[in-house]
Structures are given as C-alpha cells and as structure tokens.
C-alpha cells in the first residue's frame, strides 16, 4: 500500500461511505502515518443515513470530511448509460464506468482541488510498482475486474489499503480497533442505485417506453414464461437497433418480441468481438480473459492494431479463446490478465 516518501507529510483523500471497507481503509492509512481527508460523493440514491455514518466516522477519527454532490453528473453518465444499454438489448456493467469516471476520476480531481497527494478506496485490489492493477489477496472479494478502465495516470496516485487483507481479516481488524458493531455489518448492494430489481427500476424510469426484452439477459434460463419442450436459454436480444446478426442462433420468443431462445450449447463460442479496447500488456504473450466477474479466466489471444490499442476507442478487436466460453454477453466487460496483473479489457459486442 505505502508509496515512497515520508508518509506523515503525504496527504490522502479517501472515499468514505461509513461502511466496513472504507472505515478499515481509513484506519489502515492513519496507522501508516498518512494525513487523510474523507470524501463522500452524494447522488440522488445516497441515503441520508450513509452520509451521517461517514460524517460520524470522520469525526470519530478526527479528520476533515467533505460531502460532494455528484447527482447530476452521476445521472447523466452512469444512470443514462445503464438505461440506454438495456434499451439497445445489451447488459451493462455500470460499476466499471463509475469507477473510471466517479470513484477514481472525480476523486482524483477533488484531491487536486484539496491539494492531496494520493487517493484511496476500500476496494479489494492491489497495485504493482508500474501502476498496473493486481488481483487482491482475497480471491473471493477481488475487485480488479471492475477497475480495468481506470487510467494509468490515476493509478499512479491510488492506494488500496485492503488489497493484502481478506474480508475476514478486515472485520477482525475493525473489531480489534473498537468498531465491533460495524465489523458485523452486511455487504453493500451490488449496484448502488438499484434498491431491489433492475427491471422495476427500468419500468419506473421508462414508463410507456419500457419493452419486455429489457427484462432478459443472455444465458438466462429461468423466468422465460414459455415451454419449448427442451431446456431453453436466451441466446440473443434484439434491442432498439433492430439488428439480428447473420450468425445469430435461436428462435423468436413467442411472447416477447426481440428475445431469441435456443439450447445451452448454442451459447458456446471460441471467439468474440470487443469494442473500446485497452491493452497495456505484452503483445507477445497470451492473456487470460474473464468474460464476467464471476467467471473463470480462459487463455486467449487478441487481434489488435498497435495504433490506438492503449486508449479507449470504438475500433473492434477479436478475442480468440483456447477453450470455448459460455454466454458471452454484449455490454459486459471482458477483462485481460497476464499473471496477476490487469493488462486491459474491452466491451463485449456482437
């Protein structure tokens, strides 16, 4: 975690929610001799209780705390993206975009405004000396998958105080520091602006523009509302663009326009296309690719052009897998690893 330099003279702006991980991260930084300032980003979905919890924690630790309203920016970037992806028949990954634009991008801008040297979060991830994201020590909590879009210039100023700890160790650490009640607090929800079911959220936001195909995702088996005489899975979703690919597999859902159903094995693929590709690794070495957060990594090779391959762009690349992968889902992130380093990724498309 520690960067070079005398920590007592190094200041850190830490994202604080008042929860388990950000509290433990703040305590670890103070123990390491850093001067820290707390920051809580507020959106329309932030509960007053969580703001008060962060403020109370900052007061208890004796540190300055800032509340920054990012409601409009969050709505116009993260929430609009989330809705538009479902309208297009894709399954979005809002946490990836939010990490790049808000949790790290906006945080480092706030750090600049306040004159802080570093930023810190309670993410379970680590950094290499060359500012590559490394997987966390706790494989069950590792969040490196969600950080592949964070820019290298930002990573150079990031601290991950919890990267070498397991979740169990974090809870034990909090209890030892006198935060026993907090140490037993449950996990936060996966998507901060979705309190329950994303389908309910979409229906409420889109109203008469909501279409039933938005309630489905690739690989879905349950809740199809139809029996075809065999175990059926969603194999394709035709969104607002109305395009069905020439290599598309499946039969139309008899009740839901835009949804196509097929067999389990129809969803296997040995290659996929990616857009918005970033690649910072060794082009002469294979990569291990994860097509979703909870999937296993599969060896793969990437066809790309060196020009533009290290910045966000819309050029398409093809990823070839050494073994078939199942249910690659348009809109989701495919993240590249070499050894335990995140070396890039891309957005899965047709």
């Amino acid at each position: 975690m520690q960067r070079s330099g005398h920590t007592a003279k190094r200041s850190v702006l830490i994202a604080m929610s008042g929860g388990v991980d950000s509290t433990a991260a703040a305590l670890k930084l103070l123990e390491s001799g850093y001067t820290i300032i707390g920051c809580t980003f507020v959106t329309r979905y932030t509960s007053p209780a969580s703001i008060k919890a962060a403020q109370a924690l900052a007061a208890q630790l004796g540190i300055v705390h800032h509340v920054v309203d990012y409601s409009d920016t969050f709505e116009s970037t993260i929430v609009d993206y989330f809705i538009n992806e479902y309208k297009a028949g894709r399954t979005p990954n809002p946490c990836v975009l939010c990490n790049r634009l808000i949790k790290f991008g906006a945080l480092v801008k706030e750090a600049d405004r306040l004159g802080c040297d570093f930023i810190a979060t309670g993410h379970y991830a680590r950094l290499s000396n060359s500012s590559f994201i490394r997987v966390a020590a706790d494989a069950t909590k590792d969040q490196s998958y969600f950080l592949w879009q964070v820019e290298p210039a930002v990573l150079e100023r990031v601290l991950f105080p919890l990267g070498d700890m397991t979740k169990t160790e974090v809870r034990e650490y909090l209890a030892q520091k006198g935060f026993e009640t907090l140490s037993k607090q449950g996990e936060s929800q996966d998507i901060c602006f979705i309190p329950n079911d994303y389908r309910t959220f979409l229906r409420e936001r889109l109203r008469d523009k909501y279409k039933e195909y938005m309630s489905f995702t690739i690989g879905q088996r349950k809740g199809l509302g139809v029996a075809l005489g065999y175990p059926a899975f969603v194999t394709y979703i035709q969104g607002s663009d109305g395009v069905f690919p020439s290599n598309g597999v499946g039969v139309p859902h008899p009740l839901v326009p835009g949804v196509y159903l097929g067999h389990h094995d129809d969803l296997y693929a040995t290659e996929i296309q990616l857009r918005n590709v970033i690649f910072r690794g060794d082009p002469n070495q294979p990569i291990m690719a994860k097509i979703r957060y909870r999937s296993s990594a599969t060896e793969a090779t990437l066809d790309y052009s060196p020009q533009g391959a290290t910045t966000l762009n819309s050029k398409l690349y093809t990823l070839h897998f050494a073994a078939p992968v199942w249910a690659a889902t348009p809109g989701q992130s495919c993240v590249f690893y070499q050894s335990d380093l995140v070396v890039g990724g891309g957005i899965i498309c047709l």
Side-chain angles (χ1 to χ4, degrees):
M1 174 189 72
Q2 186 167 313
R3 298 280 187 172
S4 60
H6 186 54
T7 57
K9 296 181 181 179
R10 306 292 270 176
S11 56
V12 183
L13 184 66
I14 180 169
M16 295 178 65
S17 66
V20 171
D21 296 329
S22 64
T23 301
L27 287 167
K28 294 291 287 186
L29 288 169
L30 288 172
E31 275 190 347
S32 297
Y34 288 98
T35 298
I36 70 171
I37 297 174
C39 181
T40 300
F41 285 124
V42 175
T43 72
R44 297 173 192 174
Y45 312 93
T46 306
S47 70
S50 65
I51 299 173
K52 290 180 180 178
Q55 291 173 324
L57 172 65
Q60 188 172 352
L61 297 179
I63 65 172
V64 174
H65 178 262
H66 295 267
V67 176
V68 182
D69 190 343
Y70 253 77
S71 298
D72 291 342
T73 300
F74 188 82
E75 201 72 21
S76 63
T77 55
I78 310 306
V79 177
D80 283 358
Y81 150 80
F82 181 83
I83 293 171
N84 289 334
E85 284 293 278
Y86 273 110
K87 288 170 67 176
R90 297 186 289 265
T91 302
N93 201 321
C95 295
V96 169
L97 187 63
C98 185
N99 279 326
R100 176 166 66 90
L101 297 180
I102 308 294
K103 291 183 179 178
F104 290 83
L107 190 63
V108 81
K109 291 178 181 178
E110 190 67 12
D112 287 340
R113 188 182 72 82
L114 296 171
C116 294
D117 301 296
F118 302 116
I119 62 173
T121 72
H123 282 86
Y124 287 83
R126 295 180 288 185
L127 283 166
S128 72
N129 291 333
S130 53
S131 294
F132 280 83
I133 294 286
R134 291 177 60 207
V135 299
D138 188 345
T140 64
K141 298 301 295 182
D142 174 56
Q143 294 172 298
S144 62
Y145 171 90
F146 298 105
L147 304 176
W148 69 272
Q149 285 190 353
V150 179
E151 297 175 358
V154 174
L155 293 178
E156 291 175 358
R157 297 175 62 186
V158 171
L159 297 172
F160 290 126
L162 307 186
D164 290 315
M165 303 176 72
T166 66
K167 186 74 176 195
T168 298
E169 289 171 341
V170 167
R171 293 187 183 280
E172 291 173 350
Y173 171 74
L174 279 179
Q176 292 168 3
K177 293 296 180 180
F179 294 86
E180 186 170 358
T181 300
L182 179 61
S183 72
K184 299 176 182 178
Q185 187 181 89
E187 300 287 351
S188 59
Q189 62 197 54
D190 290 338
I191 302 178
C192 63
F193 58 92
I194 305 294
N196 297 302
D197 185 2
Y198 80 91
R199 300 169 182 85
T200 301
F201 177 83
L202 290 174
R203 288 189 181 99
E204 291 175 349
R205 293 298 294 268
L206 292 172
R207 299 183 181 276
D208 59 341
K209 294 182 180 179
Y210 177 82
K211 305 296 181 183
E212 282 302 317
Y213 70 79
M214 300 176 196
S215 294
F216 294 83
T217 189
I218 301 298
Q220 183 174 329
R221 169 72 181 92
K222 297 181 178 179
L224 301 183
V226 65
L228 298 182
Y230 59 86
F233 297 80
V234 176
T235 57
Y236 182 73
I237 299 172
Q238 186 179 45
S240 55
D241 57 12
V243 175
F244 186 76
S246 58
N247 62 344
V249 176
V251 297
H253 192 300
L255 303 176
V256 184
V259 175
Y260 291 79
L261 306 175
H263 297 272
H264 177 277
D265 290 354
D266 292 336
L267 286 162
Y268 279 110
T270 55
E271 66 178 45
I272 59 174
Q273 283 193 313
L274 303 173
R275 58 182 171 85
N276 302 108
V277 167
I278 297 171
F279 186 76
R280 298 177 59 211
D282 183 348
N284 298 313
Q285 297 295 324
I287 58 178
M288 300 297 293
K290 294 180 66 170
I291 62 169
R292 63 179 61 85
Y293 174 47
R294 292 298 183 187
S295 71
S296 299
T298 303
E299 184 175 330
T301 55
L302 180 67
D303 287 342
Y304 73 103
S305 167
Q307 288 76 30
T310 59
T311 56
L312 290 176
N313 61 82
S314 59
K315 188 173 181 179
L316 294 180
Y317 299 82
T318 301
L319 191 66
H320 305 272
F321 294 98
V325 295
W326 189 79
T329 304
Q332 288 286 289
S333 288
C334 179
V335 181
F336 311 147
Y337 294 81
Q338 286 180 331
S339 184
D340 65 347
L341 302 181
V342 175
V343 296
I347 306 298
I348 299 170
C349 53
L350 300 179

